[in-house]
């Protein structure tokens, strides 16, 4: 495997390993990975607040 391709795959795997909640979007143009976007979600509980159910 070519070195730059290996770097891209390692970056994607690293992004997935570090992510607890969120998404990794891989953009491909003409069969080449051109962009990797990582969106991470953080959720914090609100103290003293109850969730209403219907």
């Amino acid at each position: 495997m070519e070195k730059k391709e290996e770097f891209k795959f390692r970056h994607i795997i690293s992004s997935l390993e570090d992510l607890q909640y969120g998404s990794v979007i891989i953009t491909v143009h003409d069969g080449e990975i051109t962009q990797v976007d990582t969106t991470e979600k953080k959720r914090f509980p609100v103290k003293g607040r109850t969730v209403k159910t219907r």
Side-chain angles (χ1 to χ4, degrees):
M1 184 180 334
E2 201 175 318
K3 223 172 186 38
K4 73 176 182 179
E5 292 300 315
E6 186 178 327
F7 172 77
K8 292 175 186 180
F9 291 131
R10 277 192 278 121
H11 179 77
I12 292 166
I13 291 168
S14 176
S15 296
L16 289 169
E17 288 175 340
D18 294 341
L19 192 63
Q20 190 170 20
Y21 296 100
S23 59
V24 176
I25 301 171
I26 303 164
T27 304
V28 178
H29 288 282
D30 294 327
E32 293 278 328
I33 296 170
T34 58
Q35 184 173 321
V36 178
D37 295 308
T38 304
T39 304
E40 186 172 3
K41 295 186 180 216
K42 296 279 187 186
R43 296 189 178 151
F44 304 100
V46 178
K47 240 180 169 181
R49 197 170 175 188
T50 59
V51 177
K52 294 181 181 180
T53 58
R54 294 179 184 201

